[in-house]
Amino acid sequence: MKKERLYLFDTTLRDGAQTQGVNFSTDEKNKIAKALETLGVDYIEAGWPGANPSDTKFFNDAPKFKNSTLVAFGMTKRSGRSAANDPGLSAILNANTKSVCIVGKTWDFHVDVALGISKAENLENIIETTKHFVKNKKEFLFDAEHFFDGYKNNKQYALQCIKAAYDNGARWIVLCDTNGGTLPFEIEEIVTGVTKVIPGKNLGIHTHNDTENAVANTLAAVKAGVRHVQGTLNGLGERCGNANLVSIIPTLLFKNYFKDKFEISIKEKNIKHLTECSRLLDEILNRKPNNHAAYVGASAFSHKGGLHVSAVEKNPKTYEHIDPKAVGNVRSVVVSDQSGKSNILARLEKLKIKINKNDPKVQKLLDQVKEREFIGYSYDGADASFELLTRRLLGQVPDYLKIKKYEVKVEKLLDDEKIQSFAKVVLQVDNKDITCEGAGNGPVNAMDNAIRSNSNNISKYAKYLKDLKLLDYKVRILNTGTNATTRVSIESTDDSGEVWFTIGVSPNIIDASFKALIDSIDYKLFKEKAPANL
């Protein structure tokens, strides 16, 4: 049976840019557009030329795509002027894209209240706008704004609006759930009804995630007949976001119901860039990736319980619905107090630590993990601290900085809002005591500066520590009361781009912070093969 073609339309650079706090620069738009073409989406909607300087600049020097089609966005002509004399439409036409996506009202309530014009005039605006772009040989996509609300309120008028665009040459009629309030069973029922008026091969779907159903709504629409799917990377978008293409694409490609019926532009060799593409967006937005994101999250294929790990080793399909490598992700074996030997051995394999599974040190390491987690440690995400714990047990990590004592103080002048932290650390390097001092905007920053800003005093390690950077610092109180236990996690990186996480636990927040900091420094020295402290 011949498969039907589904077309993928990405609107990260336009609808995704509506997200609070998101403002893409031209360079950032180019990076994202390039990643989307590498992935293989059919359409890349890049913005609204003429609406703002950034979008206009992008289209003036738009990237050239070999496979994807660049799309300019806009709205139907204004009342009281012709399409040819509408400045907004002229800017879109002058963007020189093969395709344009124009939004128009299809909910009679909005026509009456928001536009303040007659329903007939709104229909005329849709018709004239469609004719104008079709006449100029543009592939015309009509975004039927608030279509599902319009259909529920005045079915006849909503259908008149989309038929006005279709009858005058629109290639795609995109049904928009603009406020994200429609549910999957409603989507399927309404789309099925629309296919009796407009062929499914000319219908698209655009959903928002206000009920956490945007992906489900999109798939329901495909099942009901649409053949054009709109969404954004990571579900970016205003309010609760848009349909997440990062979840939709692999579902269409790998799940039997869809892969048996449809083909998409993205092939299995390209979809391996999916995780990379998702994390690129997070990096550009300076956001921490969602570890629990479907398909691409760091925890999407993580396994914690020992029985689960044993089962996965024997048959990955037991707990993994697809091979993580297919989308550029990796399996992660989490080490915790629920771990069995299988977890430990899998993690050691990942670290490329060779050890016989019957070696007593495996059980000793498992016992240590459980004992330490009992007092508050958690190695779920602290990979570097776990590796140090393991290699120290195996005798593979030498002593580096020996800490003899440290002290931290915080100072605030009553007439000054600024708070300053100071730290003094006494280290022993090659049997010599070295006193390091530093200041910072917090205790951890001060301790870090004390050790590394004075690295010339510990010249043996200076060159290994100069590019170490602390990215993030998190504190969690594990129990309440005056004897509360504190867990501190530190995220670090260096010029290699590698990122690692370390952990410290203590009833004292400064001590917990210091333990996590020293683990970060020790990990950096270990991976750089720094010499041992004599």
Side-chain angles (χ1 to χ4, degrees):
M1 183 178 75
K2 186 178 179 181
K3 294 182 181 182
E4 290 188 74
R5 180 76 152 83
L6 288 178
Y7 294 85
L8 302 171
F9 183 106
D10 181 274
T11 181
T12 303
L13 301 179
R14 202 276 304 172
D15 220 5
Q18 304 301 311
T19 310
Q20 184 177 4
V22 171
N23 185 22
F24 295 120
S25 69
T26 303
D27 287 344
E28 289 169 342
K29 281 196 168 194
N30 275 289
K31 286 180 183 178
I32 295 168
K34 183 178 179 181
L36 287 167
E37 195 196 22
T38 299
L39 188 61
V41 299
D42 295 290
Y43 297 94
I44 300 173
E45 185 181 62
W48 189 334
N52 59 72
S54 177
D55 284 0
T56 302
K57 181 181 178 182
F58 178 85
F59 282 101
N60 285 342
D61 191 23
K64 306 299 180 186
F65 297 140
K66 292 181 180 179
N67 303 309
S68 302
T69 298
L70 186 65
V71 182
F73 177 84
M75 64 180 291
T76 53
K77 81 171 188 70
R78 296 185 181 185
S79 295
R81 63 183 65 188
S82 68
N85 292 316
D86 188 300
L89 298 191
S90 296
I92 299 164
L93 195 62
N94 292 334
N96 293 321
T97 61
K98 293 180 180 178
S99 302
V100 297
C101 183
I102 302 298
V103 65
K105 301 291 186 183
T106 59
W107 186 5
D108 60 340
F109 170 74
H110 271 204
V111 175
D112 296 338
V113 176
L115 296 182
I117 60 176
S118 69
K119 296 179 183 64
E121 192 173 356
N122 182 57
L123 284 173
E124 184 66 19
N125 289 344
I126 294 172
I127 292 170
E128 292 305 313
T129 301
T130 306
K131 286 181 176 179
H132 178 65
F133 284 105
V134 172
K135 178 183 176 181
N136 283 281
K137 303 188 183 308
K138 300 293 183 182
E139 180 185 25
F140 187 77
L141 296 87
F142 179 65
D143 261 9
E145 188 178 34
H146 286 283
F147 176 78
F148 292 94
D149 292 297
Y151 188 95
K152 294 175 191 177
N153 192 60
N154 187 335
K155 174 181 174 180
Q156 181 181 3
Y157 184 71
L159 291 174
Q160 276 186 303
C161 289
I162 60 175
K163 201 165 187 309
Y166 174 72
D167 288 346
N168 285 281
R171 167 66 179 93
W172 292 109
I173 303 298
V174 183
L175 310 178
C176 301
D177 183 30
T178 309
N179 65 20
T182 312
L183 299 176
F185 67 90
E186 296 177 293
I187 294 280
E188 187 168 0
E189 180 183 338
I190 292 172
V191 170
T192 299
V194 174
T195 58
K196 296 174 182 177
V197 178
I198 294 174
K201 64 184 179 66
N202 297 103
L203 288 177
I205 185 70
H206 177 114
T207 65
H208 285 254
N209 203 36
D210 297 73
T211 64
E212 198 66 40
N213 278 294
V215 170
N217 283 343
T218 300
L219 297 176
V222 171
K223 183 173 182 288
V226 308
R227 297 298 176 256
H228 170 105
V229 170
Q230 295 196 0
T232 62
L233 290 176
N234 298 345
L236 198 67
E238 63 182 334
R239 302 187 315 277
C240 304
N242 288 43
N244 186 358
L245 282 182
V246 174
S247 299
I248 292 169
I249 290 169
T251 299
L252 295 175
L253 191 60
F254 295 123
K255 295 305 171 182
N256 288 339
Y257 176 84
F258 294 103
K259 78 174 185 179
D260 291 344
K261 291 179 172 62
F262 306 108
E263 64 176 359
I264 60 176
S265 57
I266 299 174
K267 308 306 178 188
E268 290 192 28
K269 66 177 182 179
N270 298 86
I271 204 171
K272 292 179 181 179
H273 297 288
L274 188 67
T275 298
E276 177 187 347
C277 194
S278 168
R279 294 179 185 176
L280 170 68
L281 179 64
D282 286 324
E283 180 182 331
I284 287 172
L285 296 177
N286 196 25
R287 291 181 173 181
K288 188 175 178 63
N290 177 7
N291 287 342
H292 300 284
Y295 292 102
V296 299
S299 299
F301 301 96
S302 66
H303 307 282
K304 188 169 184 177
L307 291 175
H308 286 203
V309 175
S310 297
V312 167
E313 287 178 340
K314 294 174 183 176
N315 184 356
K317 292 183 180 180
T318 307
Y319 289 102
E320 293 176 351
H321 65 111
I322 67 165
D323 182 350
K325 294 179 182 177
V327 291
N329 207 344
V330 294
R331 179 180 301 144
S332 172
V333 176
V334 177
V335 175
S336 75
D337 61 359
Q338 296 182 35
S339 301
K341 281 188 177 180
S342 297
N343 295 65
I344 296 293
L345 291 168
R347 180 64 72 86
L348 296 183
E349 182 180 358
K350 182 180 177 181
L351 295 173
K352 299 181 180 179
I353 297 175
K354 295 182 180 179
I355 189 169
N356 188 300
K357 65 180 181 179
N358 297 317
D359 191 316
K361 289 180 180 178
V362 175
Q363 184 62 48
K364 187 175 180 179
L365 177 59
L366 177 59
D367 292 341
Q368 279 199 20
V369 168
K370 292 185 175 183
E371 288 171 8
R372 290 169 74 84
E373 292 217 344
F374 180 76
I375 64 172
Y377 280 82
S378 173
Y379 293 103
D380 279 13
D383 290 344
S385 283
F386 173 75
E387 182 172 354
L388 288 173
L389 177 68
T390 302
R391 293 190 183 277
R392 283 168 180 153
L393 177 66
L394 298 176
Q396 297 177 358
V397 179
D399 288 332
Y400 294 118
L401 302 177
K402 293 181 181 178
I403 312 300
K404 295 195 69 175
K405 69 174 184 177
Y406 66 86
E407 61 181 81
V408 176
K409 70 174 183 177
V410 179
E411 181 181 276
K412 181 182 186 299
L413 298 177
L414 293 180
D415 60 348
D416 189 351
E417 289 299 317
K418 188 176 181 181
I419 299 175
Q420 190 76 28
S421 296
F422 302 91
K424 180 191 290 186
V425 182
V426 180
L427 308 171
Q428 190 178 74
V429 179
D430 296 345
N431 295 315
K432 295 180 181 178
D433 287 354
I434 299 171
T435 300
C436 301
E437 295 181 314
N441 57 14
V444 176
N445 185 224
M447 289 188 290
D448 180 41
N449 287 336
I451 295 174
R452 296 198 300 115
S453 296
N454 291 273
S455 59
N456 287 332
N457 294 336
I458 49 173
S459 56
K460 183 172 185 173
Y461 299 117
K463 65 179 181 179
Y464 302 106
L465 299 177
K466 62 183 180 180
D467 65 333
L468 176 64
K469 304 179 187 72
L470 303 188
L471 296 178
D472 202 1
Y473 169 83
K474 292 184 175 67
V475 177
R476 183 176 179 186
I477 305 302
L478 301 179
N479 55 347
T480 58
T482 55
N483 294 319
T485 300
T486 303
R487 179 194 296 159
V488 169
S489 173
I490 290 179
E491 181 181 357
S492 307
T493 189
D494 58 16
D495 287 350
S496 71
E498 180 184 354
V499 175
W500 62 92
F501 296 83
T502 53
I503 191 172
V505 173
S506 173
N508 184 291
I509 188 172
I510 300 299
D511 187 49
S513 302
F514 195 72
K515 287 176 179 176
L517 175 63
I518 291 301
D519 254 14
S520 175
I521 292 172
D522 279 353
Y523 182 79
K524 167 69 171 171
L525 293 173
F526 173 76
K527 80 186 193 82
E528 296 289 353
K529 298 181 173 58
N533 191 351
L534 301 179

